[in-house]
Amino acid sequence: MSKQFYVTTAIDYVNGQPHLGHAYEKIITDVIARSRQCLGEKVFYLTGLDEHGQKVQQAAQDAGKDAQAYCDELAADWRAFVEKLGLCNHDFVRTTDAAHKQVVEEILQQLYDKDEFYEGEYTGFYSAKQETFLTERDRKEDGSFDVIYGEVTELKEKNYYFKLGRHQQWLIDHIEANPDFVAPDNRRNEVLGFLKNEKLEDLCISRPKERLEWGIPLPFNPDYVTYVWFDALVNYVSIPRCRGEEASLWPADIHVIGKDILKFHAVYWPIMLKVAGLELPKQVLVHGWWQKNNEKMSKSTGNVVDPVEMIEEWDLDAFRYYVVRELAIGPDGNWTDEGFTTRYNAELANSLGNLINRSLSMLNRYRDGILSAPHDDLGAEAIAARDKLVEQLQANELQAGLMTIWSFVARMNQYVDETAPFKLAKDPDQADRLGEVLYNLTEGCRLLAIWLQPYLPTTSCRIMKQLNVPADLVNIAEAGWGGLNEGHKINEPEALFPRRDK
Ligand code: MSP
């Protein structure tokens, strides 16, 4: 069975409704997944929910609901969210599914049999907000913990430990030998800095059942439940295994995650896999966090962006465009409503929408929608842009890829100004030249539609329909100049992104 390109998102805690950060991560992963499809690979995209642990148990209790019933209700909202974002995901994992639980138990038992765990007394702290154990080392000078940890409780309880510490040097060597394992570079340096400067402690992998019920019982001691991260990380393997597709999917090509969960993915997870005898993912790709108006988003202050509201008000592709165009994968981003409106009007309505609309309208008006013979004023520039875009997509430089597409949009708009087809149309001696110009514009629109497939799939299909070409997936790298034939007739144009004043 040949290897598929396997890409994942983090799985989200079901303790509330999805927000901009969740939408962003799923959309960039979707663009990566679709890009690879458009470059000829068979792709598997996994996303889903992290349902166990103290944080979710607490949220269920606060809502006065049984934990499973609480998760089931919210899972329906999250699945609807995935639909709303137009994702091409191939499965949706829930860590409360029996099949996932079984794989977690298998791996726990396997490691227990290999003597990778030991019992010990845990004295330290726990942050339910981050679902993480904390030690004295994490305390600030005044004894408090960073606000990101929320309420921190002191724990003294018997638990099971995973012998993580002894793999420290191996992991350093792996990261140094595989420069792409953690991307971008600053995140790789962060992990290496941590591994080189701090002693890696063994990891507590359980909680006593009398303290926390909402988890997978340890198969070798049901008085304990599995630490939620040990359960959640396994989703990346459990789904391929449950589907009988481990051989074609594992190892994952890319785990897309946010910067706050780097240590879990670039330290704990590789060691878990090594000890379980499984290959390591090829890359952990780390994105930054969104703020709104330069402040942390927070429900309590009302400083939030509701992705569903935005999509309903503006259209899905406009939302997808803004988040990918505004923020490269890596740094933090800042959402502003003004920025959104400006990009919408300038880049979608004016530059792209107008170009497609006026190009196709002129062909309809002056030539009844029928193309003359192929001509290539813009061919070489289009192919140069395509090749650049392909490289950028392969490097997951999604924002840069959009900029490449829009440079060609700008070039085409300039070409309209230079050639002035509306003037040519008035001069019968220029009939041949008009046919050439209209061919260049229409063929340029066709390539734009192909290049937009990963980013704005609905818009891409709409352009293809207007062009009267099949809206099937086209390989971007193979789509050359001159695909439209003489005599091809297009359909009526329709406005793509109507200008908006607010
Ligand atoms: N359940 C864990 C992940 C387990 S993966 C085996 C978790 N869940 S989460 O719901 O808190 O976060 C899910 C993802 O959303 C993370 O990658 C996180 O970084 C991302 N984001 C959460 N808030 C964000 C922003 N404000 N901006 C961008 N991404 C953010 O962590």
Side-chain angles (χ1 to χ4, degrees), residues 138-182:
D138 300 299
R139 274 188 156 175
K140 294 200 280 196
E141 266 178 19
D142 65 2
S144 67
F145 289 93
D146 196 289
V147 285
I148 58 159
Y149 295 117
E151 192 187 329
V152 172
T153 34
E154 197 162 0
L155 297 183
K156 195 169 167 29
E157 57 192 35
K158 262 182 103 180
N159 270 318
Y160 282 86
Y161 281 86
F162 174 33
K163 297 174 187 170
L164 197 78
R166 55 186 176 167
H167 302 285
Q168 186 157 3
Q169 189 55 46
W170 164 82
L171 186 56
I172 293 173
D173 294 344
H174 179 82
I175 297 175
E176 287 189 330
N178 296 277
D180 292 335
F181 180 62
V182 180

Coordinates of all heavy atoms in Angstrom, one line a residue, residues 138-182:
D138 N 8.5 25.8 37.8 CA 7.6 26.7 37.0 C 7.1 27.9 37.8 O 6.3 28.7 37.2 CB 6.4 25.8 36.6 CG 6.8 24.6 35.7 OD1 7.4 24.9 34.7 OD2 6.6 23.5 36.1
R139 N 7.4 28.0 39.1 CA 6.9 29.1 39.9 C 7.7 30.4 39.6 O 8.9 30.3 39.3 CB 7.1 28.8 41.3 CG 6.0 28.0 41.9 CD 6.1 27.9 43.4 NE 4.8 27.7 43.9 CZ 4.6 27.4 45.2 NH1 5.6 27.4 46.1 NH2 3.4 27.2 45.7
K140 N 7.0 31.5 39.7 CA 7.8 32.8 39.5 C 8.4 33.1 40.9 O 8.2 32.4 41.9 CB 6.8 33.9 39.1 CG 6.2 33.6 37.8 CD 5.6 34.9 37.1 CE 4.2 35.2 37.7 NZ 3.4 36.1 37.0
E141 N 9.2 34.1 40.9 CA 10.0 34.5 42.1 C 9.1 34.7 43.3 O 9.4 34.4 44.4 CB 10.8 35.7 41.9 CG 12.2 35.3 41.5 CD 13.1 36.4 41.2 OE1 12.8 37.6 41.6 OE2 14.2 36.2 40.5
D142 N 7.9 35.3 43.0 CA 7.0 35.6 44.1 C 6.1 34.4 44.5 O 5.2 34.4 45.3 CB 6.1 36.8 43.8 CG 5.1 36.4 42.6 OD1 5.2 35.3 42.1 OD2 4.4 37.3 42.2
G143 N 6.4 33.2 43.9 CA 5.8 32.0 44.3 C 4.5 31.7 43.5 O 3.9 30.6 43.6
S144 N 4.1 32.7 42.7 CA 2.9 32.4 41.9 C 3.2 31.8 40.6 O 4.4 31.7 40.2 CB 2.2 33.8 41.6 OG 3.0 34.5 40.8
F145 N 2.1 31.3 39.9 CA 2.3 30.7 38.5 C 1.8 31.7 37.5 O 1.0 32.5 37.8 CB 1.6 29.4 38.4 CG 2.2 28.3 39.3 CD1 1.7 28.1 40.6 CD2 3.2 27.5 38.8 CE1 2.3 27.1 41.3 CE2 3.7 26.5 39.5 CZ 3.3 26.3 40.8
D146 N 2.3 31.6 36.3 CA 1.9 32.4 35.2 C 0.4 32.3 35.0 O -0.2 31.3 35.2 CB 2.6 32.0 33.9 CG 2.6 33.1 32.8 OD1 1.4 33.3 32.3 OD2 3.6 33.7 32.6
V147 N -0.2 33.4 34.6 CA -1.7 33.5 34.4 C -2.2 32.4 33.4 O -3.3 32.0 33.4 CB -2.2 34.8 34.0 CG1 -2.2 35.8 35.1 CG2 -1.4 35.4 32.8
I148 N -1.3 32.0 32.4 CA -1.7 31.1 31.4 C -2.2 29.8 32.1 O -2.9 29.0 31.4 CB -0.6 30.8 30.4 CG1 0.6 30.2 31.0 CG2 -0.3 31.9 29.5 CD1 1.5 29.4 30.0
Y149 N -1.7 29.5 33.3 CA -2.0 28.2 33.9 C -3.4 28.3 34.6 O -3.9 27.2 35.1 CB -0.9 27.8 34.9 CG 0.4 27.5 34.2 CD1 1.5 28.3 34.5 CD2 0.4 26.5 33.3 CE1 2.7 28.0 33.8 CE2 1.6 26.2 32.6 CZ 2.8 27.0 32.9 OH 3.9 26.7 32.2
G150 N -4.0 29.4 34.8 CA -5.3 29.6 35.5 C -5.1 29.1 36.9 O -4.0 29.3 37.5
E151 N -6.1 28.5 37.5 CA -6.0 28.1 38.9 C -5.1 26.9 39.0 O -5.3 25.9 38.2 CB -7.4 27.7 39.3 CG -7.5 27.5 40.8 CD -8.9 27.0 41.3 OE1 -9.9 27.3 40.6 OE2 -8.9 26.2 42.3
V152 N -4.2 26.9 39.9 CA -3.2 25.8 40.1 C -3.4 25.2 41.4 O -3.5 25.8 42.4 CB -1.8 26.4 40.0 CG1 -0.8 25.3 40.3 CG2 -1.5 26.9 38.6
T153 N -3.6 23.8 41.4 CA -3.8 23.2 42.7 C -2.6 22.3 43.1 O -1.9 21.8 42.2 CB -5.0 22.2 42.7 OG1 -5.1 21.7 41.3 CG2 -6.3 22.9 43.0
E154 N -2.4 22.2 44.4 CA -1.3 21.4 44.8 C -1.7 19.9 44.9 O -2.8 19.7 45.4 CB -0.8 21.9 46.2 CG 0.5 21.4 46.5 CD 1.2 22.2 47.6 OE1 0.6 23.2 48.1 OE2 2.4 21.9 48.0
L155 N -0.9 19.0 44.5 CA -1.3 17.6 44.5 C -0.3 16.8 45.3 O 0.9 17.1 45.2 CB -1.3 17.0 43.1 CG -2.3 17.6 42.1 CD1 -2.1 16.7 40.8 CD2 -3.7 17.5 42.6
K156 N -0.8 15.9 46.0 CA 0.1 14.9 46.7 C -0.6 13.6 46.5 O -1.6 13.3 47.2 CB 0.3 15.3 48.2 CG 1.4 14.6 48.8 CD 1.7 15.3 50.2 CE 2.6 14.5 51.2 NZ 3.6 13.7 50.7
E157 N -0.2 12.8 45.6 CA -0.9 11.5 45.3 C 0.0 10.5 44.7 O 1.0 10.8 44.1 CB -2.2 11.8 44.4 CG -1.8 12.5 43.1 CD -3.0 13.0 42.3 OE1 -3.9 13.5 42.9 OE2 -2.9 13.0 41.1
K158 N -0.4 9.2 44.9 CA 0.4 8.2 44.2 C 0.0 8.1 42.7 O -1.2 8.3 42.4 CB 0.0 6.8 44.9 CG 1.1 6.4 45.9 CD 0.7 5.1 46.5 CE 1.7 4.0 45.9 NZ 1.4 2.7 46.5
N159 N 1.0 7.9 41.9 CA 0.7 7.9 40.5 C 1.7 7.0 39.7 O 2.7 6.5 40.3 CB 0.8 9.3 39.9 CG -0.5 10.0 39.9 OD1 -1.5 9.4 39.6 ND2 -0.5 11.3 40.3
Y160 N 1.5 6.8 38.5 CA 2.4 6.1 37.6 C 3.2 7.1 36.8 O 2.7 8.1 36.4 CB 1.7 5.2 36.6 CG 1.2 3.9 37.3 CD1 0.0 3.9 38.0 CD2 2.0 2.7 37.3 CE1 -0.5 2.7 38.6 CE2 1.5 1.6 37.9 CZ 0.3 1.6 38.6 OH -0.1 0.5 39.2
Y161 N 4.5 6.7 36.7 CA 5.4 7.6 35.9 C 5.9 6.8 34.7 O 6.1 5.6 34.7 CB 6.6 7.9 36.8 CG 6.4 9.1 37.8 CD1 5.8 8.8 39.0 CD2 6.7 10.4 37.4 CE1 5.6 9.8 39.9 CE2 6.4 11.4 38.3 CZ 5.8 11.1 39.6 OH 5.6 12.1 40.4
F162 N 6.2 7.6 33.7 CA 6.8 7.1 32.4 C 8.3 7.5 32.4 O 8.6 8.7 32.7 CB 6.0 7.7 31.3 CG 6.6 7.4 29.9 CD1 7.2 6.2 29.6 CD2 6.4 8.4 28.9 CE1 7.6 6.0 28.3 CE2 6.9 8.2 27.6 CZ 7.5 6.9 27.3
K163 N 9.1 6.5 32.1 CA 10.6 6.8 32.2 C 11.0 7.6 31.0 O 11.6 7.1 30.0 CB 11.4 5.5 32.3 CG 11.1 4.7 33.5 CD 11.8 3.3 33.4 CE 11.4 2.4 34.6 NZ 11.8 1.0 34.4
L164 N 10.7 8.9 31.0 CA 10.9 9.7 29.9 C 12.4 10.3 29.8 O 13.0 10.4 28.8 CB 10.0 10.9 30.1 CG 9.7 11.8 28.9 CD1 8.6 11.2 28.0 CD2 9.0 13.1 29.5
G165 N 12.9 10.6 31.1 CA 14.1 11.3 31.2 C 15.3 10.6 30.5 O 16.2 11.3 30.0
R166 N 15.3 9.3 30.4 CA 16.5 8.7 29.9 C 16.6 8.8 28.3 O 17.6 8.4 27.8 CB 16.5 7.2 30.3 CG 15.2 6.4 29.9 CD 15.3 5.0 30.5 NE 14.1 4.3 30.3 CZ 14.0 3.0 30.4 NH1 15.0 2.3 30.8 NH2 12.9 2.4 30.2
H167 N 15.6 9.4 27.7 CA 15.7 9.6 26.2 C 16.1 11.0 25.8 O 16.0 11.3 24.7 CB 14.3 9.2 25.6 CG 13.8 7.9 26.0 ND1 14.4 6.7 25.4 CD2 12.9 7.4 26.9 CE1 13.8 5.7 25.9 NE2 12.9 6.1 26.8
Q168 N 16.5 11.8 26.8 CA 16.8 13.2 26.5 C 17.9 13.3 25.4 O 17.6 14.1 24.4 CB 17.3 13.8 27.8 CG 17.5 15.3 27.7 CD 17.4 16.0 29.1 OE1 17.3 15.4 30.1 NE2 17.6 17.3 29.1
Q169 N 19.0 12.7 25.5 CA 20.0 12.8 24.5 C 19.6 12.3 23.2 O 19.9 12.9 22.1 CB 21.3 12.1 25.0 CG 22.5 12.5 24.1 CD 22.8 14.0 24.0 OE1 22.8 14.7 25.0 NE2 23.0 14.5 22.8
W170 N 18.9 11.2 23.2 CA 18.4 10.6 21.9 C 17.5 11.6 21.2 O 17.7 11.8 20.0 CB 17.6 9.3 22.2 CG 16.8 8.9 21.0 CD1 17.2 8.2 19.9 CD2 15.4 9.3 20.8 NE1 16.2 8.1 19.0 CE2 15.0 8.7 19.5 CE3 14.4 10.0 21.5 CZ2 13.8 8.9 19.0 CZ3 13.2 10.1 21.0 CH2 12.8 9.5 19.8
L171 N 16.7 12.3 21.9 CA 15.8 13.3 21.3 C 16.5 14.5 20.8 O 16.3 15.0 19.6 CB 14.7 13.7 22.3 CG 13.6 14.6 21.7 CD1 12.9 14.0 20.5 CD2 12.6 15.0 22.8
I172 N 17.5 15.0 21.5 CA 18.4 16.1 21.0 C 19.0 15.6 19.7 O 19.0 16.4 18.7 CB 19.5 16.4 22.1 CG1 18.8 17.0 23.3 CG2 20.5 17.4 21.5 CD1 19.8 17.3 24.5
D173 N 19.6 14.4 19.7 CA 20.2 14.0 18.5 C 19.2 13.9 17.3 O 19.6 14.3 16.2 CB 20.8 12.6 18.7 CG 22.0 12.6 19.7 OD1 22.5 13.7 20.0 OD2 22.4 11.6 20.3
H174 N 18.0 13.4 17.6 CA 17.0 13.3 16.5 C 16.7 14.7 16.0 O 16.6 14.8 14.7 CB 15.8 12.6 17.0 CG 14.7 12.5 16.0 ND1 14.7 11.5 15.0 CD2 13.7 13.3 15.6 CE1 13.7 11.6 14.2 NE2 13.1 12.7 14.5
I175 N 16.5 15.6 16.8 CA 16.1 17.0 16.3 C 17.3 17.6 15.6 O 17.0 18.3 14.6 CB 15.6 17.8 17.5 CG1 14.4 17.2 18.2 CG2 15.3 19.3 17.0 CD1 13.8 17.9 19.4
E176 N 18.5 17.3 16.1 CA 19.6 17.9 15.3 C 19.8 17.3 14.0 O 20.2 17.9 13.0 CB 20.9 17.9 16.2 CG 20.7 18.9 17.3 CD 22.0 19.1 18.2 OE1 22.7 18.2 18.3 OE2 22.1 20.3 18.7
A177 N 19.6 16.0 13.9 CA 19.8 15.3 12.7 C 18.7 15.5 11.7 O 18.8 15.2 10.5 CB 19.9 13.8 12.9
N178 N 17.5 16.0 12.2 CA 16.4 16.2 11.3 C 15.9 17.6 11.4 O 14.9 17.9 12.1 CB 15.2 15.2 11.7 CG 15.6 13.8 11.4 OD1 15.5 13.3 10.3 ND2 16.1 13.1 12.5
P179 N 16.5 18.5 10.7 CA 16.3 19.9 10.9 C 14.8 20.3 10.6 O 14.4 21.4 11.1 CB 17.2 20.6 9.9 CG 18.0 19.6 9.2 CD 17.6 18.2 9.7
D180 N 14.1 19.5 9.9 CA 12.7 19.9 9.6 C 11.7 19.3 10.6 O 10.5 19.5 10.5 CB 12.2 19.4 8.2 CG 13.0 20.1 7.1 OD1 13.4 21.2 7.4 OD2 13.2 19.5 6.0
F181 N 12.2 18.6 11.6 CA 11.3 17.9 12.5 C 10.4 18.9 13.3 O 9.2 18.6 13.4 CB 12.1 17.0 13.5 CG 11.2 16.3 14.5 CD1 10.3 15.4 14.1 CD2 11.3 16.6 15.9 CE1 9.5 14.7 15.0 CE2 10.5 15.9 16.8 CZ 9.6 15.0 16.3
V182 N 11.0 20.0 13.7 CA 10.2 21.1 14.3 C 10.3 22.3 13.4 O 11.4 22.8 13.2 CB 10.6 21.4 15.7 CG1 9.7 22.5 16.3 CG2 10.5 20.1 16.6

